[in-house]
Amino acid sequence: MSMITERPVSNPAGQPPVRTAGETPARPRDLRAVVAAYVTLTKPRIVELLLVTTVPAMMLADGGLPSLWLVAVVLVGGSLAAGAASVLNCYIDRDIDQLMRRTKRRPLPAHTVTPRNALVFGLVLAVVSVALMAVFTNLLAAGLTLAAIVYYDVVYTLWLKRTTTANTFWGGACGAAPVLIGWAAVTGSLSPVAWALFGVVFFWQMPHFYPLAMKYKDDYARAGIPMLPVVASVRRVNAEIVLFAWLTVLTSLAVWALGLSAVYGVPTLVVGAIFLAEAHRLAGRARRGEPVKPMRLFHWSTSYLTIVFAAAALDALL
């Protein structure tokens, strides 16, 4: 797998190093750097967050602890699928990633991995992930896995992300798909509880991602991506954050009403109240013209989702 590094040339004016015409890119010697670059393409932090929702969904579907073999297969297959979707996303977005300060150091805009190698890597991960799910779980889980990859990279990345301010809303289906995949892997079907859990993650993505988009609004504007904070007023963005925070919490309580116990319900109610308070606090700061500090809600939203799904897992065990 070839990689490109910048080789300095003489530059009396003290300008940044440039590559001379016809220069052959140098090959890096550090194998660990190569491996790290490919791992970075898979966006491991996103993979980790997706798996936080998958295992509890499997436990609820089983009514306890599923076969460890099945859990392992779904974790590996799900990680590969999420990694594949992220790698292909990096390949498709390489033109805009080089324009954004937040993403310009990713392996493709930094020229540490070639676009061709990234494309091959992503496609191989996708094929392996779907094959694993098809062979060791069932066709419904495998089909959902394939659909999630295609939706994220073709529908969201290629189309929605670049054309509509509702990109985050419609893209939310991808992030919530692991809940359905995990449930289907256990039961071969989808129940109302599975769809309710899907709804929690789907609605959660707006109050989770919009604060991040607020922080990096100038980046998205520079790249020509119509994220809501780029094209709408701060008041409109915060109104949507509050709306979807409420929908997230209400949907999480609907899961409780579908048969879970207080082991799930009480922690979910408590962290839901804190989540709503943070969303309203962000909107209040914007209304008063104070610094909004959006990343506070961004980080708390991750803790919220983790606690809710941990409570669901505990409920399944008890």
Side-chain angles (χ1 to χ4, degrees), residues 19-20 23 50 72-73 82 101 124 156 163 172 207 214 223 229 258 304:
R19 182 180 294 163
T20 58
E23 179 182 357
L50 295 178
V73 168
R101 285 177 297 177
V124 168
Y156 171 73
T163 59
M214 291 171 70
L258 288 172
Y304 164 81

Side-chain angles (χ1 to χ4, degrees), residues 1-312:
M1 292 177 285
S2 62
M3 298 174 56
I4 301 175
T5 55
E6 297 290 344
R7 180 156 58 87
V9 296
S10 176
N11 194 340
Q15 296 300 315
V18 296
R19 182 180 294 163
T20 58
E23 179 182 357
T24 301
R27 292 180 178 274
R29 299 178 180 177
D30 190 344
L31 179 60
R32 286 180 298 179
V34 176
V35 173
Y38 280 88
V39 171
T40 299
L41 285 173
T42 66
K43 303 180 184 178
R45 295 184 68 181
I46 293 179
V47 172
E48 178 185 346
L49 184 60
L50 295 178
L51 296 181
V52 163
T53 63
T54 304
V55 175
M58 294 180 70
M59 295 172 69
L60 281 177
D62 185 79
L65 188 62
S67 158
L68 293 180
W69 165 253
L70 181 61
V71 172
V73 168
V74 173
L75 288 180
V76 172
S79 296
L80 293 176
S86 293
V87 173
L88 295 173
N89 168 267
C90 288
Y91 171 78
I92 296 166
D93 277 353
R94 64 191 186 280
D95 59 330
I96 60 175
D97 280 351
Q98 64 186 346
L99 302 175
M100 299 172 61
R101 285 177 297 177
R102 184 172 68 91
T103 58
K104 67 181 181 181
R105 294 183 181 178
R106 286 177 176 172
L108 286 173
H111 303 295
T112 52
V113 175
T114 65
R116 178 182 178 277
N117 286 349
L119 176 61
V120 171
F121 181 50
L123 291 175
V124 168
L125 289 180
V127 170
V128 172
S129 67
V130 175
L132 276 175
M133 299 298 285
V135 171
F136 295 108
T137 62
N138 55 64
L139 292 181
L140 177 58
L144 289 169
T145 300
L146 176 60
I149 296 172
V150 172
Y151 187 93
Y152 182 67
D153 289 313
V154 177
V155 178
Y156 171 73
T157 304
L158 271 175
W159 176 34
L160 296 172
K161 182 176 181 178
R162 299 173 184 239
T163 59
T164 174
T165 58
N167 47 23
T168 303
F169 176 84
W170 293 112
C174 309
V179 173
L180 300 182
I181 294 169
W183 194 285
V186 174
T187 67
S189 62
L190 298 173
S191 75
V193 176
W195 285 109
L197 289 170
F198 173 90
V200 172
V201 185
F202 178 83
F203 291 129
W204 166 85
Q205 288 180 89
M206 272 60 73
H208 172 69
F209 183 75
Y210 282 158
L212 184 70
M214 291 171 70
K215 179 177 176 62
Y216 293 104
K217 179 176 71 172
D218 293 341
D219 262 4
Y220 286 113
R222 190 180 301 113
I225 301 301
M227 292 296 178
L228 188 67
V230 173
V231 299
S233 66
V234 174
R235 181 176 180 179
R236 161 78 184 280
V237 175
N238 281 286
E240 292 211 12
I241 287 174
V242 169
L243 169 64
F244 285 111
W246 273 99
L247 288 173
T248 302
V249 173
L250 291 175
T251 307
S252 71
L253 295 178
V255 175
W256 185 9
L258 288 172
L260 277 70
S261 74
V263 172
Y264 166 83
V266 172
T268 296
L269 191 59
V270 172
V271 295
I274 299 172
F275 186 41
L276 290 174
E278 287 294 337
H280 281 278
R281 184 175 291 117
L282 177 64
R285 290 195 200 101
R287 218 170 25 246
R288 295 188 296 270
E290 301 172 1
V292 291
K293 301 178 181 178
M295 295 304 287
R296 174 169 172 155
L297 178 60
F298 172 81
H299 291 302
W300 171 249
S301 66
T302 302
S303 300
Y304 164 81
L305 194 70
T306 301
I307 293 169
V308 167
F309 276 83

